[in-house]
Amino acid sequence: MHCFKHQEQHAIGICANCAKAVCEQCCREDARKIACSDTCVQELFVEQQTTDGLRGSLGIGIKPPMPPSVSTYFLFGMILLLTGVYMSFQRGGFDILTFAIAAAFFVMSGMSYRQYRSRCLSC
Ligand SMILES: [Zn+2]
Ligand SMILES: [Zn+2]
C-alpha cells in the first residue's frame, strides 16, 4: 500500500475520513485519528464533537467502559486475601504465600486500571 500523494512512500495508515492511504509525511499529527489533509482533520473534529455531544445527551459516559480485567484481578485478589486470612486462622500462622499472590493480583488490577485511565485521557 502506497501513499495517495507520494507513490514512492509506503502508507502508514488510512485517512479516517476519506479512506485514502497516507504516508508519515501526509499524516496529520494533530488529529486523534489518521487524516490525510487539514480538511479531513476538520471534518473528523466536527464528527467527534457531534458524537461526544450525542453521547453526552444520551447519558452514556464518554469514558470507555472499564476493562473486565480490572474487576477480575481485583476479585481474584479478594478471594485469595480471604483464603489467606482463613488459612492463617486454620494453621495458626501467617500464610505469606497466599497473601503474596493476593497482593500480586491487586497490583495487576491496579495496573490494568492505570492503563485504562491513560487510554481514556488520550481518546
Ligand atoms: Zn482524508
Ligand atoms: Zn504522502
Side-chain angles (χ1 to χ4, degrees):
M1 195 164 63
H2 291 92
C3 173
F4 78 103
K5 214 189 279 177
H6 310 91
Q7 291 301 318
E8 74 285 357
Q9 296 273 10
H10 278 283
I12 55 151
I14 289 169
C15 174
N17 191 52
C18 62
K20 280 177 192 162
V22 286
C23 70
E24 211 167 345
Q25 233 174 298
C26 300
C27 180
R28 291 283 169 267
E29 280 178 25
D30 54 336
R32 293 186 204 177
K33 291 169 184 167
I34 292 171
C36 66
S37 63
D38 290 332
T39 322
C40 283
V41 170
Q42 202 58 40
E43 278 177 38
L44 283 171
F45 183 70
V46 171
E47 190 187 294
Q48 183 71 41
Q49 294 262 309
T50 321
T51 328
D52 284 354
L54 204 68
R55 273 198 221 148
S57 61
L58 285 171
I60 302 163
I62 289 152
K63 287 177 183 177
M66 206 184 285
S69 54
V70 176
S71 44
T72 309
Y73 286 144
F74 189 78
L75 196 71
F76 271 123
M78 281 307 282
I79 291 166
L80 281 159
L81 189 72
L82 291 172
T83 312
V85 172
Y86 180 73
M87 298 263 268
S88 301
F89 273 116
Q90 284 279 306
R91 294 179 186 171
F94 191 69
D95 192 19
I96 191 84
L97 186 70
T98 313
F99 281 117
I101 299 167
F105 271 109
F106 281 127
V107 169
M108 288 204 297
S109 168
M111 287 200 309
S112 302
Y113 186 67
R114 276 183 61 166
Q115 215 169 42
Y116 147 75
R117 286 291 296 267
S118 64
R119 206 184 306 148
C120 185
L121 283 174
S122 64
C123 73

